[in-house]
Amino acid sequence: MSKYKAFEVREEIEKKFVGAIVEKSALELAEGSVSIEVHYSSVNYKDALSASGSKAVTREYPHVPGIDAAGKVLASTDSNFAVGDEVVVTGYDLGMNTAGGFGQQVTVPGGWVTKLPVGLSLRDSMVLGTAGLTAGLCVNKLLLNNITPEAGKVLVTGATGGVGIIACALLVKLGFEVVASTGKLAETAKLMALGVSEVISREAFSEENPRPMLKESYAAAVDVAGGTTLVNVIKSLSYGGSVAACGLVDSPALSATVFPFILRGVNLLGIDSVELPLAQKQQVWNLFANEWALTDIDSLAETIALAELPAVLAKVLAGGAVGRYVLDLRA
């Protein structure tokens, strides 16, 4: 594939960024690299930031965003991969300062690439994408910290977002009683259909509370918000409870006391899905292909074409998205 289509963002005039579908030429394959024909990508908030010109995500333009990619190997100078292998790439620098999954071809270091496990399709891997990988890492870390369904309710904040909705689905599959917190109560029926036991407004946690600890309500939590929300979640954990923190949509700052940690022995577990060692990413993909396989995974995502991408990116940037968007690049 010497020529391929991509959604490229350019700075048209100073601080005005515009995306368009363009034709690009394939890169030369450096030693230890893999060239991939991208069949599917997914749309994430970080992609929307990159497409809007956020220099915190992407330093130089023109640029092809897309922090996720799934497809087949076209060529490889890495002995771990052969032509035709089905593979997934998430995280590292993909779609940030390296051309990403919003193009029909990507060329990346072999150390960024994981083989698609048997039992997981290319499309389903992008229904999951970075969001699903992050959700899986959160749940796995809770399990490793002895959180069991018998321990009590698990709270998921940002439950209609990409990470949140997959975390809800996975926790329900594993037998947990899940409470979903969201700012989109109009989506309550969608969340209840996943099997969550209760849907509550995010306002229950987004307001500052001067009390150092609150009622012990949850055995564990998955939090995408950070800030005041995370502080209130920590205060609401039962003795020995844990929260897996993976986001900052509320705020990156924490204003908390040590009381929940030293009086209730709670745990704040940090989650990184970007620079995570490849072997740990592969482990989570393998789980999703086997014992974590989500039976109704199609209900979590809407499939879009390249032409629909600008409108979806704007929706994601404005906070209006629900669930996941899978970008089909095969046309």
Side-chain angles (χ1 to χ4, degrees):
M1 187 188 292
S2 58
K3 298 282 187 180
Y4 63 93
K5 292 179 183 177
F7 177 80
E8 185 176 75
V9 179
R10 290 178 174 270
E11 190 170 10
E12 196 171 68
I13 58 175
E14 188 176 2
K15 296 185 179 180
K16 180 176 175 58
F17 293 83
V18 177
I21 299 171
V22 301
E23 187 174 75
K24 297 185 73 67
S25 298
L27 298 175
E28 287 189 17
L29 201 60
E31 186 63 33
S33 295
V34 181
S35 178
I36 301 164
E37 179 184 22
V38 181
H39 289 199
Y40 299 98
S41 184
S42 69
V43 184
N44 302 277
Y45 186 67
K46 191 177 285 185
D47 300 322
L49 288 173
S50 177
S52 69
S54 172
K55 295 299 178 72
V57 177
T58 302
R59 292 187 296 271
E60 294 185 5
Y61 294 83
H63 175 65
V64 177
I67 63 171
D68 294 337
K72 292 186 177 182
V73 173
L74 287 170
S76 175
T77 55
D78 183 319
S79 60
N80 293 307
F81 301 97
V83 173
D85 283 350
E86 293 188 330
V87 294
V88 178
V89 187
T90 64
Y92 305 114
D93 195 46
L94 183 73
M96 296 179 67
N97 296 291
T98 300
F102 291 173
Q104 292 175 322
Q105 188 172 332
V106 295
T107 299
V108 297
W112 294 4
V113 184
T114 55
K115 289 186 178 179
L116 188 75
V118 175
L120 192 65
S121 71
L122 287 171
R123 182 186 181 278
D124 287 352
S125 76
M126 290 294 95
V127 174
L128 297 166
T130 290
L133 179 67
T134 303
L137 290 166
C138 288
V139 171
N140 199 45
K141 210 158 202 181
L142 293 178
L143 296 174
L144 291 172
N145 279 271
N146 302 313
I147 302 299
T148 65
E150 295 72 30
K153 298 178 181 179
V154 178
L155 175 71
V156 177
T157 66
T160 55
V163 174
I165 204 165
I166 295 172
C168 286
L170 178 56
L171 286 163
V172 168
K173 178 181 177 63
L174 296 179
F176 287 90
E177 181 179 358
V178 179
V179 177
S181 168
T182 179
K184 300 182 178 71
L185 291 178
E187 302 298 331
T188 293
K190 185 178 182 73
L191 291 168
M192 296 297 285
L194 293 177
V196 305
S197 63
E198 185 182 358
V199 179
I200 60 177
S201 171
R202 68 182 175 197
E203 293 175 358
F205 298 94
S206 61
E207 301 294 328
E208 290 188 11
N209 189 315
R211 295 175 60 189
M213 293 191 294
L214 301 172
K215 179 182 176 181
E216 296 180 58
S217 300
Y218 306 101
V222 173
D223 178 65
V224 304
T228 299
T229 297
L230 177 55
V231 170
N232 286 329
V233 170
I234 292 168
K235 293 178 182 181
S236 302
L237 291 175
S238 302
Y239 190 92
S242 296
V243 53
C246 61
L248 43 68
V249 295
D250 183 346
S251 169
L254 285 182
S255 179
T257 72
V258 299
F259 289 116
F261 302 104
I262 65 175
L263 297 181
R264 289 183 181 166
V266 305
N267 304 297
L268 175 57
L269 310 174
I271 303 298
D272 166 52
S273 61
V274 178
E275 297 295 335
L276 186 74
L278 203 63
Q280 294 181 43
K281 291 187 179 185
Q282 187 75 64
Q283 179 188 26
V284 174
W285 290 124
N286 291 345
L287 285 167
F288 274 119
N290 293 284
E291 55 261 49
W292 285 5
L294 301 177
T295 53
D296 197 17
I297 194 169
D298 281 345
S299 69
L300 303 178
E302 176 184 341
T303 302
I304 64 169
L306 266 175
E308 300 171 89
L309 188 54
V312 170
L313 286 165
K315 189 174 184 179
V316 170
L317 189 64
V322 175
R324 300 281 289 146
Y325 292 94
V326 174
L327 175 64
D328 188 343
L329 288 135
R330 295 172 301 168

